[in-house]
Amino acid sequence: MALYFGDLLPYSSLLLEGLWTALYITLVAMLAGSALGVVVYLGKAGPGKSVSVLCTCYIEAIRNTPLLVQLYLIYFALPGLGINLEPVWAAIIGLTLNNAAYTAEIYRAGFESVPRGLREAGKALGMKPAQIVRYIVLLPATRNVFPALTNQLILLFLASSIGSIISLPELTNAIMSVSNTTYRTIEVLAVGGLLYLGVSALMSLVSKRAETTLFRWAVGTHV
């Protein structure tokens, strides 16, 4: 079987546009989902029992249902309620809600990994709960969860390919479109796979570099 990649050259811009769309929805969903994840974690860990139960139900509902089903519900069920979303917004909302449930659990693990003695030391110094979180818990907790957040970012990027089922023009959608046009299925899948691999590897590399730079103070210490 002879492979020929020349037929793909006229479609390189389409593939790159698809890659940009995948990156765009990934970054937006990661930022929004991470912020929402903090809120969900604080609600779950907070003193309000009803809020805690509600946040726990949200996390379990999202984590125990396929992202594909969640995206179908957002894109195909919401119009029944009069809410019509463009594919890009449906994908961003779906990925954000999904990401928030997972990052809430990541934050929980990070905050609980900070020794209780540090919190008690803060109380002994007369610090308020918000000050203890801001000045004592937040930095070591963030350092502890940084690798997990990087993994979540990469998984989110790969999961963005599900957006193709609602006609979102992201990378997988572009790959299938080029394949249907050129009949160079293996070649375009190989190129698409390399694009996913390259971007994921770059994310991992940048994250390790950022971790070394941002948390240089923690090298050789165990909080």
Side-chain angles (χ1 to χ4, degrees), residues 64-77 162 165:
N64 292 291
T65 54
L67 174 58
L68 181 62
V69 173
Q70 298 163 17
L71 196 54
Y72 270 139
L73 287 173
I74 292 171
Y75 189 68
F76 293 111
I162 293 180
I165 65 168

Side-chain angles (χ1 to χ4, degrees), residues 36-57:
L36 182 58
V38 172
V39 174
V40 173
Y41 160 69
L42 292 176
K44 180 181 178 181
K49 190 171 182 179
S50 57
V51 175
S52 178
V53 170
L54 185 63
C55 291
T56 300
C57 291

Side-chain angles (χ1 to χ4, degrees), residues 130-179:
Q131 290 176 315
I132 293 174
V133 172
R134 180 179 178 184
Y135 296 110
I136 296 180
V137 178
L138 188 58
L139 269 180
T142 303
R143 184 203 65 184
N144 292 341
V145 303
F146 200 78
L149 289 176
T150 300
N151 289 337
Q152 182 63 20
L153 174 65
I154 293 173
L155 289 175
L156 203 60
F157 170 62
L158 299 178
S160 69
S161 61
I162 293 180
S164 63
I165 65 168
I166 57 172
S167 302
L168 177 68
E170 47 71 60
L171 181 54
T172 297
N173 183 280
I175 290 171
M176 301 313 297
S177 177
V178 175
S179 173

Side-chain angles (χ1 to χ4, degrees), residues 4-18:
Y4 179 67
F5 291 88
D7 289 345
L8 305 184
L9 290 177
Y11 302 96
S12 56
S13 61
L14 179 63
L15 293 172
L16 291 176
E17 287 175 6

Side-chain angles (χ1 to χ4, degrees), residues 72-86 89-90 93:
Y72 270 139
L73 287 173
I74 292 171
Y75 189 68
F76 293 111
L78 286 183
L81 302 175
I83 303 174
N84 294 290
L85 296 172
E86 294 293 329
W89 282 110
I93 292 173

